Amino acid sequence: MNSPLRKIIFPAAGMGTRFLPATKATPKEMLTIVDKPLIQYGVEEALDAGMDEIVIVTGRGKRAIEDHFDISSELEANLHAAGKDALYQTVSRVARMADVAYIRQKQPLGLGHAVLCAAPWVGDACFGVSLADELILSEGKSAMQQLCEVHEQTGASVIGLAHVPDNEVSRYGIVDAQDENGLLRLHGMIEKPAINQAPSNLAMIGRYIFTPRLFALLKETKPGTGNEIQLTDAMRQLASEEPVYGVVIEGQRFDAGNPCGFLLANVILGLQHPQHGETLRAALTEMKLIPPVR
Ligand code: G1P
């Protein structure tokens, strides 16, 4: 039995160029899907999997993330005094859901470098990494829980995967996977390959569990695709030294890191929203954008 995973890193230092001008003064991670910022969905998913020691790697212009998970005494007092109990509960729950630590990545040197910035905080333990702009909703076990199960079984690094169509392969880290006694063993991975160089259509979708060996490898990783220190490059080395497994995640996934996926997540979650769903559906039906429910 492996010791339970408690630590998780949220890299959140990226510049959000795909969402400019929205992300000029607002962190990408704070863009909302309906009424909740992306990073909160990620933190809730981590907590649900028992990962309650959270570090967010931030950079310049990311203060709003810290404020979001902080106690806002004035706001809470105002909501309480105004008798807005439901809103008060919502706001105070966010501030108390987790003790979040923050580490600053001083230069945007890539995802691998952002993860490496959290190495002293993690120490010599297995840890999770979650990219908040990949929103994954599951009716049963959460995406992180699905990874945790394979990690508990193997003690190894485990990566969340999804099948993507040919025209999307060049947007992701793509893995070379083979079945091994019912588990998916990863023999390699390439960051954003052209379709004719991709070993498969299985993409890494921003959920990872790593053994601490990854940090030593990240330290030696040279800049790769986009002249950035790529997590994928260190992972390829890790997979050549020790077993790394993949899990095709069950759940509804939105790549909210690109504008189209982000808009789709807002529409779908908007339609499912207990308070606003019905009104949104009626409006879209009236505009003949969706058929009436029979
Ligand atoms: C990052 C990773 C990539 C992964 C993707 C998932 O890319 O580098 O391997 O497939 O997230 O969304 P980014 O979207 O930051 O360019």
Side-chain angles (χ1 to χ4, degrees), residues 169 174-177 195 197-203:
V169 154
I174 302 291
V175 300
D176 174 5
I195 181 68
Q197 268 153 20
S200 73
N201 279 58
L202 272 177

Side-chain angles (χ1 to χ4, degrees), residues 18 28 111-112 131 133-134 160 169 171-174 190-192 203-208 228 230-232 235 253 255-258:
R18 275 175 276 195
K28 174 177 73 168
L111 178 60
L131 306 186
D133 57 11
E134 288 274 1
V169 154
R171 282 198 220 158
Y172 299 102
I174 302 291
I190 314 182
E191 184 67 9
K192 303 193 173 86
M204 301 193 273
I205 53 165
R207 297 294 183 279
Y208 315 82
E228 294 186 341
Q230 294 290 350
L231 183 60
T232 302
M235 287 168 67
R253 163 183 171 254
D255 183 354
N258 83 69

Side-chain angles (χ1 to χ4, degrees), residues 181-239:
N181 305 324
L183 290 171
L184 212 50
R185 172 107 184 241
L186 306 187
H187 293 284
M189 49 283 289
I190 314 182
E191 184 67 9
K192 303 193 173 86
I195 181 68
N196 58 356
Q197 268 153 20
S200 73
N201 279 58
L202 272 177
M204 301 193 273
I205 53 165
R207 297 294 183 279
Y208 315 82
I209 291 172
F210 291 116
T211 60
R213 174 74 186 140
L214 181 86
F215 289 130
L217 298 172
L218 273 173
K219 274 186 200 143
E220 285 159 22
T221 302
K222 303 268 176 302
T225 307
N227 204 25
E228 294 186 341
I229 296 175
Q230 294 290 350
L231 183 60
T232 302
D233 293 343
M235 287 168 67
R236 191 170 43 253
Q237 187 57 34
L238 186 70

Side-chain angles (χ1 to χ4, degrees), residues 30 101 132-133 136 145 158 166 229 260 263 281:
M30 288 301 293
D133 57 11
I136 311 173
Q145 263 179 329
V158 187
D166 283 2
I229 296 175
C260 201
L263 292 172
R281 182 176 297 279

